[in-house]
Amino acid sequence: MINKIIETPKEAVADIFDGATIMISGFGEAGSPIELIHALIDQGAKDLTIISNNAGSGHVGLAALLENKRVKKIICSYPKTAFSEVFPNLYCNGEIELELVPQGTLAERIRCGGAGIPAFYTPTSVGTPLAKDKEIREINGKLYVLEYDLKADFALVKAYKGDRYGNLIYYKTARNFGPIMCMAAKTTIAQVNKIVELGDIDPEIVVTPNIFVQRVVEVANPLHEHVLISQNKKYPWTE
Amino acid sequence: MDRINIGWSKDEMAKLVANDIPDGSYVNLGIGIPELVANYIPEDREVIIHTENGLLGVGPAPAHGEEDFDLINAGKKPITAIKGACFFHHADSFAMIRGGHLDFTILGAYQVSQSGDLANWSTGSPSDIPAVGGAMDLVQGVKNVFVIMSHTTKDGTPKIVKKCSYPLTGVKVVSRIYTELAIIDVTPQGLKVRLMAPDIDEATLINKTEADLLF
């Protein structure tokens, strides 16, 4: 019997090890698996490399993972968002390494990581500082930059519904990086608002095929980052 | 003496951009002033707005209290989805962008050069947190790259320059510039003034532009 359902976020992240590379879904707070991130903070793994579009806001979720000094390097496209204080402070103090990647290149590097394509040429960033020291090649009269794939030991992804095989569907623009991160990690851990029976998700509308998902954990009422920020919350929770 | 407000307002600029977008176009709007363009698409045109975080068919801003923070735009502001909209993941979204499927992108800028180079992601200052987002992909893949920006910085320094001093977003990528003073096309011959605001003359425009202009 195949059953990828795990009871709690704590159990779902228990084997994440020091030095792991972890993809974390989300575009800002939309699609950010905040309960899995908080469970990872509780678990204690450190020296992590994080691949995520942003670098967190306020003092919860991804920002809290950074603030608790668990992350040595972040690979992202836009670490500067409203209410982001943690990353700028760490970066200015030289306490975190940043690899800045154009957003589409980040997405394609992740997609390729999951699709068995080790590298690709893209026009994005030609003639800019982000192409510095990279291989440039002319193809049919146009210049392209060589970019390599991205893979991860784990992906922490937020989806809307999942079943025990690991089929996933998402909710609105919270889909963003989820589907491609599921493909690019050895172990994909999906938190879903609702676990449903096999067959309840119409096979025609499955977004992430179950083969890309190893663990599914239900978080029925996930926290909202903007609400926590408006309440000045900080994780681990303090009184 | 310099007047504080000369030329078109931001809304008038956005309306001018919107008027140049034909019926049936697919359009990506950058963060800030470009977002205003959506308010001025003429009613007899159907234009589909793309947001790179995974939606074709951005609708108007939601009413207060109706916001869904899982339905946001590239600026991470709550939006709505029109009837006929569709959601997709990031690799598909940037396939649309890089693959040449979008007709227009409207972006803000720090500087544009006379050959159409764009600088809009970093001032290059060491204290600046580097952040690029999707700009470098948009300028490479979208068919028409329109810039909407103030003609000069707050202290009057020209932003339309011979050569960008800030780090580039892309080389020879801009097709048209909209400022409060003029609409300027980037052509193989150079920057060609297409239209000037009603109260602007050639001398004023030349004075506020570092790059060479063709009239």
Side-chain angles (χ1 to χ4, degrees):
Chain A
M1 180 180 168
I2 296 171
N3 184 13
K4 297 178 182 173
I5 297 168
I6 306 282
E7 287 303 312
T8 63
K10 182 183 174 181
E11 293 164 84
V13 302
D15 61 346
I16 295 183
F17 48 86
D18 290 355
T21 295
I22 307 175
M23 292 178 176
I24 299 182
S25 68
F27 184 88
E29 72 171 294
S32 184
I34 193 164
E35 282 75 12
L36 289 178
I37 299 170
H38 288 171
L40 179 60
I41 293 171
D42 297 343
Q43 190 258 25
K46 58 183 191 300
D47 296 324
L48 305 171
T49 295
I50 299 297
I51 301 167
S52 194
N53 188 58
N54 304 105
S57 290
H59 302 273
V60 295
L62 181 52
L65 187 68
L66 268 57
E67 191 164 37
N68 284 274
K69 305 284 171 73
R70 306 299 168 75
V71 182
K72 66 173 182 198
K73 179 180 179 182
I74 188 158
I75 301 173
C76 74
S77 90
Y78 206 85
K80 191 169 60 175
T81 44
F83 310 110
S84 71
E85 302 160 21
V86 172
F87 177 82
N89 286 336
L90 291 172
Y91 183 75
C92 292
N93 294 332
E95 293 180 81
I96 193 165
E97 187 188 339
L98 169 68
E99 181 179 339
L100 189 72
V101 182
Q103 200 173 142
T105 298
L106 181 65
E108 192 61 14
R109 288 177 68 188
I110 295 166
R111 195 196 70 80
C112 286
I117 306 289
F120 59 95
Y121 287 100
T122 175
T124 302
S125 89
V126 167
T128 78
L130 297 190
K132 192 168 170 276
D133 300 327
K134 290 180 180 170
E135 183 187 322
I136 305 287
R137 180 161 167 179
E138 188 180 320
I139 301 173
N140 294 330
K142 196 173 165 182
L143 297 178
Y144 297 88
V145 180
L146 181 69
E147 295 282 358
Y148 292 92
D149 67 350
L150 283 170
K151 291 180 184 158
D153 299 301
F154 297 91
L156 307 184
V157 164
K158 185 181 183 183
Y160 183 51
K161 286 181 184 173
D163 61 29
R164 69 176 171 87
Y165 280 3
N167 292 305
L168 302 177
I169 60 168
Y170 298 81
Y171 183 73
K172 300 185 179 176
T173 55
R175 180 182 309 195
N176 57 68
F177 284 88
I180 52 175
M181 288 181 169
C182 288
M183 297 166 64
K186 283 192 202 111
T187 302
T188 289
I189 306 164
Q191 76 166 65
V192 298
N193 292 43
K194 191 168 173 52
I195 289 177
V196 297
E197 294 299 319
L198 294 180
D200 281 1
I201 304 173
D202 180 348
E204 291 285 3
I205 66 157
V206 168
V207 175
T208 292
N210 58 70
I211 194 169
F212 297 129
V213 177
Q214 282 66 48
R215 298 174 195 166
V216 181
V217 58
E218 185 175 276
V219 178
N221 293 298
L223 295 166
H224 292 285
E225 198 174 89
H226 70 278
V227 174
L228 297 174
I229 290 170
S230 71
Q231 297 166 343
N232 289 314
K233 295 279 190 180
K234 189 169 181 170
Y235 196 84
W237 308 128
T238 48
E239 287 310 309
Chain B
M1 202 174 81
D2 277 343
R3 282 172 295 171
I4 297 165
N5 292 311
I6 57 168
W8 293 305
S9 68
K10 283 176 187 173
D11 283 282
E12 286 167 329
M13 287 158 66
K15 193 171 180 180
L16 288 163
V17 176
N19 274 321
D20 286 346
I21 297 172
D23 187 35
S25 298
Y26 285 89
V27 182
N28 177 288
L29 299 177
I31 299 169
I33 306 178
E35 291 174 59
L36 295 174
V37 172
N39 301 337
Y40 295 101
I41 303 293
E43 279 182 15
D44 59 346
R45 295 183 205 172
E46 223 167 23
V47 167
I48 296 191
I49 297 174
H50 169 268
T51 184
E52 60 256 38
N53 54 312
L55 168 62
L56 272 178
V58 176
H64 188 65
E66 300 285 308
E67 298 92 349
D68 179 346
F69 285 83
D70 284 330
L71 180 53
I72 58 174
N73 66 10
K76 303 188 173 69
K77 289 206 263 294
I79 50 171
T80 56
I82 62 168
K83 268 186 192 167
C86 56
F87 297 111
F88 37 83
H89 63 63
H90 250 81
D92 279 354
S93 184
F94 280 83
M96 294 173 195
I97 291 170
R98 227 189 289 98
H101 304 280
L102 291 169
D103 299 302
F104 296 90
T105 183
I106 321 294
L107 299 170
Y110 295 140
Q111 291 175 327
V112 180
S113 84
Q114 59 190 20
S115 59
D117 296 352
L118 173 68
N120 81 342
W121 68 282
S122 166
T123 61
S125 155
S127 63
D128 214 17
I129 303 293
V132 65
M136 287 186 183
D137 305 279
L138 285 160
V139 299
Q140 288 299 336
V142 179
K143 289 174 197 148
N144 297 283
V145 176
F146 285 2
V147 163
I148 181 167
M149 65 174 189
S150 60
H151 202 88
T152 63
T153 64
K154 285 199 179 92
D155 68 6
T157 308
K159 292 169 71 173
I160 303 175
V161 293
K162 290 183 190 300
K163 191 172 185 299
C164 296
S165 58
Y166 290 151
L168 292 185
T169 308
V171 178
K172 294 185 180 173
V173 292
V174 175
S175 29
R176 187 176 292 169
I177 308 163
Y178 297 77
T179 76
E180 73 279 17
L181 305 184
I183 303 173
I184 300 169
D185 278 336
V186 181
T187 75
Q189 291 72 41
L191 297 178
K192 176 99 176 66
V193 178
R194 187 182 174 85
L195 185 70
M196 285 189 285
D199 44 354
I200 303 304
D201 57 31
E202 287 186 17
T204 306
L205 198 60
I206 289 167
N207 188 253
K208 290 178 178 294
T209 309
E210 185 199 286
D212 299 324
L213 296 174
L214 304 168
F215 290 90

